[in-house]
Amino acid sequence: MRLLASLALQNLGRRKARSLLLIAAVAVASGVVFTGATLMRSIDQSMAVGFTRLGADMMVVPDGALTNITAALLTVEPTDLVLDQDLFTNAKLAAVGRAAPQKIARVEHSGIGSHHESADLIGFDPALDFTVRPWLVEKLNRDMRPGDVILGAAREAPLGSELLIFGKPHIVYGRLGRTGVGTHERGAFMSFGTLDALAPSVHGHGGGPPAALQKGKVSGFLVELAPGATPLQARFSILSTLKGVKVVTGDSTMSGIRQGLSALLDGIMALMVLMFASTALMVSVLFSAIVTERRGELGLLKAIGARRGQVVGMMVTEAVIATGAGGALGVVLGILVMRLYERSLVYWLENVGVPFLWLDTPRMIAVAAGAIVLASTIGALGALYPAWRASRRDPYDLVRGEG
Amino acid sequence: MLSCRGLRKDYVTERGEVAAVAGIDLDVAAGRYTAIIGRSGSGKSSLMAMIGGLSRPSQGQVTVDGTDIWGLCENDLAAFRNRRIGFVFQFASLLPTLRLVDNVALPAMLHRDRARSAIYSRAASLLAQMGLGDHLDAYPSEVSAGEQRRAVIARALINEPALILADEPTSDLDEQTEIEIMDELLAVNRERGTTLILVTHNLALAGQAERIVHIAHGVIVA
């Protein structure tokens, strides 16, 4: 193996210009794939946050509830009417991607804000939520626990500080960014469990707790469409399946953009795969030429006793070394390109308030390793066929320059 | 030592099938020096390639020390070539990226049954016997054609083969170098008892052989 690797290295060093060109070509391809994959995944991740910040595609509330329609559907509105919390879990609607239940109670004298100021207490299910937490601009460095509250941008209290709500201590877990949606700005968000614990202290119009604070009941659902589903399909599906509900649609343009951009990202990824496939073909053509050029040497190696596997191994090792080096160089180039990207476009995006979330380090390392392994694999596959063909020839044919 | 029976090699060309070797029976005793002579295109190199396990016969059998070499599987045939046959080709057959000592050690390194140090020690010793002791680290391009050919003979001997096949080994060398190289080959034949088969169209070189086989149109004529 050491002998083959050494022969392969020496062969690469023999035609320096050609080897460098091959390495450069693979470096460009794997650099594009590494940068592309990292940016695509980062953009995908950022889009997931950015689009959820634009709110849900539609809101499902009890029929008869009065709703104040805003372009961004971030929270439901307080009403006296309620729905069952497991409404969507049981219905399993194909057009619905996610349905996040929320409870909302508008309260006074709660301890939040000034004495007579009303405040919205909003309960959500952290496991299903997609409209509250994407707006978190700061939070404690731990998961959310019972007794934690997230405050809207218009509320002021330091992170980790104690906040008394109806005399009960709560911890300020996080703060939302400015949304421009009143309920979101003034609200105090908490898990269903935390809100349920407050229910006995909250008094509605009838004296008892508001209907939304009953266990198993919610004020409404924020709905995200399933991939490919249209708002019309979802509305029809919801209204025909669920009884006593009203569907409030937000800005359908956003649904279209979200779905369109996802498809665009997939398309770009497919193009990158095609580019890498064309690199594989290029490597194969190049190694066919190298094998042809080196027939005499391969024949000589076979004549003095090299096995077929050793001949193939030497050529494949040569290709793997060159394309692996190209892959590693491509990753370095990709990192430099992303540095530039970070200092220009990402900096600008963040200045205008558009979040850009880079892949975390372990995943970025995995993508880099994947790009190098892919480049080496393409080298191995590209060289395999011409090497295998040459190895099948009689040594005499190769030495004579045939085959 | 060597026995060929009904050996035939056909090539398919644009003008149809051509018989390079058209049915040859040949026996060579161990330790003998045999010269195969004939004009260009007579089929002598094709015959040599079949004897050496380098080109599969269209028909016939080659037996070396009782082994039907074309009955061996691919890997066994490679190992047989490696251990039992030394080749000296009509071209400078050294790998240009390897030093002379690496080139000589290469066959032993391909089927390694000894320590690397032992292989390299033998390679250095063989090169020294060929008068190349000062050129162990030289690359082929740094030595003369005659020195390259001596290194090829050293490589042919690294695994102590029973048979050396030399296919026009001096065709591109000047007269003086040709004599020196032939002297080396004859010394190997006489001193080590290695069977030597030389393919040549040079009758003067063939004159030193114990037996001369004359080939024309793919058959033995004398």
Side-chain angles (χ1 to χ4, degrees), chain B:
Chain B
M1 197 276 161
L2 170 73
S3 168
C4 304
R5 289 286 168 269
L7 215 48
R8 187 180 176 88
K9 183 72 181 181
D10 299 318
Y11 289 105
V12 178
T13 68
E14 285 174 359
R15 280 174 290 174
E17 213 167 69
V18 174
V21 175
I24 281 183
D25 294 328
L26 177 68
D27 291 291
V28 175
R32 301 288 293 273
Y33 167 26
T34 303
I36 299 175
I37 60 167
R39 297 180 62 182
S40 295
S42 59
K44 54 192 190 300
S45 289
S46 294
L47 172 64
M48 177 83 110
M50 289 187 286
I51 290 172
L54 300 178
S55 180
R56 184 170 290 279
S58 306
Q59 235 174 53
Q61 196 178 38
V62 178
T63 309
V64 178
D65 281 341
T67 304
D68 173 9
I69 65 168
W70 288 107
L72 297 172
C73 70
E74 180 100 17
N75 280 348
D76 288 347
L77 179 58
F80 190 87
R81 279 197 301 263
N82 179 265
R83 297 214 168 91
R84 306 288 292 156
I85 304 174
F87 292 97
V88 182
F89 294 106
Q90 61 180 307
F91 55 92
S93 60
L94 295 170
L95 293 182
T97 55
L98 300 183
R99 299 172 302 164
L100 292 189
V101 70
D102 298 320
N103 265 293
V104 173
L106 187 58
M109 294 294 285
L110 285 171
H111 291 254
R112 215 163 131 185
D113 53 6
R114 283 165 280 173
R116 182 187 157 84
S117 57
I119 292 170
Y120 269 80
S121 163
R122 176 163 169 76
S125 157
L126 284 168
L127 280 169
Q129 286 170 38
M130 296 292 157
L132 294 168
D134 295 334
H135 294 85
L136 300 185
D137 293 329
Y139 285 90
S141 59
E142 294 167 355
V143 297
S144 69
E147 287 167 329
Q148 287 183 30
R149 212 54 52 90
R150 282 200 197 94
V152 171
I153 295 172
R155 185 184 64 198
L157 297 173
I158 187 80
N159 283 334
E160 299 179 67
L163 172 66
I164 286 196
L165 298 177
D167 186 1
E168 310 230 24
T170 59
S171 58
D172 58 341
L173 302 178
D174 62 72
E175 202 174 332
Q176 183 56 37
T177 312
E178 183 175 54
I179 292 167
E180 288 169 14
I181 295 301
M182 276 314 297
D183 285 347
E184 297 290 359
L185 285 171
L186 288 172
V188 168
N189 169 243
R190 285 173 192 152
E191 290 162 21
R192 295 169 192 260
T194 310
T195 308
L196 173 65
I197 299 179
L198 174 79
V199 165
T200 184
H201 55 259
N202 185 330
L203 293 177
L205 293 181
Q208 300 174 65
E210 293 160 283
R211 181 184 172 196
I212 298 175
V213 177
H214 191 174
I215 292 185
H217 306 296
V219 293
I220 295 174
V221 291

Side-chain angles (χ1 to χ4, degrees), chain A residues 3-20:
Chain A
L3 174 72
L4 294 180
S6 136
L7 275 173
L9 266 176
Q10 280 158 347
N11 285 333
L12 283 171
R14 213 159 119 194
R15 292 291 186 104
K16 286 191 181 70
R18 185 171 64 191
S19 301
L20 287 176

